[in-house]
Amino acid sequence: MEKRRHQRIEIKNFWADVSDGKGFFSGVVTNLSRFGLGMTDLPAKLDSNQRLSIVISGHGRNFKMLVKPRWAQKESMQKSVGVEIMNAPWGWTEFIMQMETPPDDVLGVITL
């Protein structure tokens, strides 16, 4: 069962520069929402047990934020991580809102 409050948007050509306080790493952003995102191709040595500082880049935009890891999956020498955004800048919210699909208009479907 899906527990997300906000829809995830599949995305291409977005990258994440991640710092765990010990090192800097790069990965690929695979999906995003107002309050979270998924990343892959991160090095397995990334410490995903603490808050991370990230810069998301792509489509001519950059967003710097703090995130809290919610899950991590190690795959050989790489890791995928899902994070909750702790302090999203206003520009991030506007960017996501432009990409979200509008909700179905339930009242517009009813015919008498």
Side-chain angles (χ1 to χ4, degrees):
M1 180 175 175
E2 190 69 35
K3 296 181 181 180
R4 301 187 194 287
R5 288 187 221 165
H6 298 281
Q7 65 180 334
R8 286 287 176 152
I9 301 164
E10 299 298 318
I11 194 88
K12 293 184 180 182
N13 301 321
F14 256 76
W15 296 269
D17 293 315
V18 183
S19 175
D20 60 3
K22 300 171 194 161
F24 294 93
F25 310 97
S26 293
V28 176
V29 177
T30 56
N31 61 65
L32 42 84
S33 73
R34 291 186 194 186
F35 300 106
L37 54 98
M39 300 177 285
T40 61
D41 299 334
L42 291 163
K45 64 183 177 180
L46 170 71
D47 184 357
S48 56
N49 294 319
Q50 60 184 8
R51 289 189 177 167
L52 306 169
S53 176
I54 65 171
V55 177
I56 306 297
S57 305
H59 298 260
R61 307 287 302 265
N62 294 307
F63 303 99
K64 182 179 179 182
M65 55 189 88
L66 290 175
V67 298
K68 180 179 178 181
R70 289 305 198 178
W71 59 266
Q73 182 177 2
K74 187 176 176 184
E75 303 150 355
S76 173
M77 305 268 307
Q78 296 181 331
K79 183 183 280 191
S80 295
V81 181
V83 298
E84 176 185 353
I85 299 171
M86 304 305 294
N87 67 338
W90 177 248
W92 176 259
T93 305
E94 289 177 324
F95 177 72
I96 297 299
M97 289 174 69
Q98 292 172 356
M99 297 179 67
E100 289 177 335
T101 56
D104 293 334
D105 184 8
V106 177
L107 297 177
V109 177
I110 300 172
T111 55
L112 300 173

